[in-house]
Amino acid sequence: MLAGKNVVLGVTGGIAAYKAAELVRLLVKEDATVDVIMTRNAAEFIAPLTFQTLSNRVVHVETFKLLVTSDISHTTLADRADLIIVAPATANFIGKFANGVADDMLTTTLLATLAPVLVAPAMNPKMWAHPAVLENVARLAARGVDFIGPEEGEVACKDIGRGRMSEPADILEAAEGVLTPPRLRGKRLVVTAGPTREPLDPVRFISNRSSGRMGYALARAARLMGAEVVLVSGPTALVPPRDVEVMSVETALEMQKAVKSAFAKADALIMAAAVADFRPAAPKDAKAPKDEYGDQLALARNPDIIAGLAKSKGKKLVVGFAAETGEADAKAAAKLKRKGLSAIVVNDVSEPGIGFESEDNEVRILFADGRSLSLARMAKADLAFEILMALFS
Ligand code: CTP
């Protein structure tokens, strides 16, 4: 979402200004062009050179000096911006912005822009709770300005409460959200991800190689596209996306229960989880010596979660995933029919570098009405958007 975009980052005078340096680094890593505008107070906390080095661009501190030394005016940045982020935003800055004051480069740029604006406040919790600040925030929000944070925690002056600036990675995520068209706003999605773990005893289990990346990427993309998302996740090593409700499960039976309850209130179910088909028939409550297990393991079949829910799907969208080796389309088409799905996303895991445990994937989507769509090989994070656009077009 951010690649090739022009982002203006406003930095105002709070101690959290040092965290804005990390935000610049993250934005640049996403291939955004970042123009930093600092207030004079911000330059007391952190040197403009830091931002200049990270952004590889001239940093703007003062309006009038700049007009003399550069051909870039406040309106150039304002016109060019795809997004303006202000992080950290002090109470003083928020007051000025809410009241249309334009007495420095940053506030002037903001008055002159049509770009979306994302504000990450940072201040003492008592200041954040002051009616003047809250009124200013409400006024800006009513004008369409997006806010992220502040977060609960200890602030620099050791007070505890809501006032900490959100972490740079979360601000980056929010920025992607601001730039993503809200195609799924008003929808509730259940996404499953990861493997399930079927215990033999409290220590040993049967599982599979699913990393959960595809499901997590789908949950994140759906959230950024404006949906409310419940992520039902088996054990993975991944950090859940922001603003997504997570239901953590271990076994297929637990996953079935969680999905059933979440799907009752949802518009769509996307099962990217690799549900274990079998579980040990008689798991032990305590670990036993190996000889007690014998050399044959009795298994019981797990329920087919998606097939069970697809039976009563009505107008809801129920989408499965199929990782196949060889004759992938034919096998997936048979599954689509047998399970009564709206669509199935299929990938051939015999291809090196895609599917399980990989960063990339390459899929085809088969729809119940006979349509199909191929999506080129790309990072799972990007593919997730393409899949959702295809499913909800
Ligand atoms: N699935 C499910 N419950 C199961 C097994 C699978 O809901 N017990 C879902 C998966 O999450 C996926 C789809 O069904 O969305 C297809 O999964 P796959 O493992 O390919 O289906 P199986 O029926 O297990 O196929 P196979 O007979 O090839 O193992």
Side-chain angles (χ1 to χ4, degrees):
M1 270 323 143
L2 284 158
K5 294 284 191 311
N6 292 310
V7 178
V8 171
L9 174 64
V11 182
T12 71
I15 180 61
Y18 79 92
K19 284 197 198 169
E22 171 70 359
L23 181 57
V24 175
R25 200 186 63 80
L26 295 175
L27 288 163
V28 168
K29 213 167 137 210
E30 293 294 320
D31 289 330
T33 302
V34 187
D35 283 299
V36 176
I37 305 177
M38 302 177 77
T39 63
R40 253 176 279 178
N41 287 342
E44 299 288 326
F45 283 95
I46 180 165
L49 185 61
T50 304
F51 292 110
Q52 185 162 313
T53 311
L54 289 167
S55 67
N56 211 11
R57 296 174 72 78
V58 171
V59 169
H60 312 282
V61 185
E62 263 214 70
T63 324
F64 301 112
K65 203 193 288 173
L66 187 89
L67 286 174
V68 179
T69 58
S70 152
D71 60 353
I72 292 184
S73 75
H74 56 275
T75 51
T76 316
L77 289 182
D79 292 344
R80 192 166 69 194
D82 295 300
L83 170 69
I84 301 188
I85 305 173
V86 184
T90 58
N92 181 51
F93 161 78
I94 289 170
K96 288 204 286 184
F97 186 24
N99 289 285
V101 174
D103 66 347
D104 60 11
M105 179 80 176
L106 178 59
T107 46
T108 312
T109 304
L110 283 163
L111 271 198
T113 195
L114 294 175
V117 179
L118 173 66
V119 173
M123 65 193 76
N124 176 281
K126 291 189 197 96
M127 291 171 80
W128 176 252
H130 194 285
V133 175
L134 296 177
E135 275 171 37
N136 287 333
V137 169
R139 193 190 283 191
L140 288 168
R143 242 183 249 161
V145 172
D146 280 292
F147 282 84
I148 171 162
E151 316 287 337
E152 288 279 336
E154 191 180 278
V155 291
C157 57
K158 301 281 179 224
D159 275 2
I160 293 180
R162 219 176 145 201
R164 281 169 66 93
M165 188 175 88
S166 299
E167 289 305 317
D170 292 333
I171 299 174
L172 184 82
E173 190 77 0
E176 301 219 42
V178 171
L179 289 174
T180 308
R183 303 256 301 246
L184 300 186
R185 186 172 287 162
K187 297 225 181 294
R188 266 186 84 92
L189 259 68
V190 181
V191 179
T192 69
T196 65
R197 243 180 215 179
E198 311 296 332
L200 202 56
D201 60 39
V203 179
R204 305 174 173 101
F205 56 80
I206 303 175
S207 191
N208 59 62
R209 293 158 70 106
S210 168
S211 66
R213 279 199 196 103
M214 194 65 243
Y216 275 56
L218 284 161
R220 172 177 177 268
R223 179 68 202 119
L224 289 176
M225 290 165 85
E228 277 182 54
V229 181
V230 179
L231 173 63
V232 180
S233 177
T236 73
L238 304 174
V239 179
R242 229 184 122 79
D243 283 344
V244 159
E245 183 186 334
V246 181
M247 298 174 86
S248 298
V249 298
E250 288 247 337
T251 65
L253 291 174
E254 285 169 19
M255 184 171 276
Q256 183 187 39
K257 201 168 153 216
V259 172
K260 245 184 178 169
S261 79
F263 186 54
K265 293 170 266 163
D267 305 294
L269 167 64
I270 303 182
M271 288 271 319
V275 184
D277 292 313
F278 300 96
R279 64 180 182 276
K284 296 184 190 300
D285 292 334
K287 185 178 177 237
K290 56 183 167 301
D291 290 342
E292 276 188 30
Y293 293 88
D295 50 15
Q296 300 273 327
L297 184 59
L299 297 172
R301 275 288 273 271
N302 273 329
D304 191 318
I305 302 172
I306 201 167
L309 290 167
K311 282 196 192 107
S312 54
K313 69 178 186 303
K315 287 199 162 62
K316 293 184 181 185
L317 200 66
V318 174
V319 181
F321 267 70
E324 308 287 358
T325 52
E327 289 174 30
D329 271 20
K331 288 182 192 163
K335 271 179 200 173
L336 169 80
K337 206 157 172 204
R338 188 174 77 234
K339 296 182 189 233
L341 310 180
S342 319
I344 194 157
V345 182
V346 45
N347 64 324
D348 190 338
V349 286
S350 52
E351 297 265 330
I354 61 170
F356 279 157
E357 294 179 320
S358 323
E359 291 286 349
D360 287 355
N361 212 351
E362 178 183 326
V363 302
R364 270 169 75 72
I365 307 179
L366 311 180
F367 293 90
D369 62 9
R371 281 178 303 132
S372 69
L373 178 73
S374 294
L375 296 172
R377 178 174 180 162
M378 65 184 103
K380 286 177 179 174
D382 299 326
L383 190 64
F385 287 97
E386 302 285 332
I387 291 173
L388 290 171
M389 280 196 279
L391 293 175
F392 289 92
S393 63

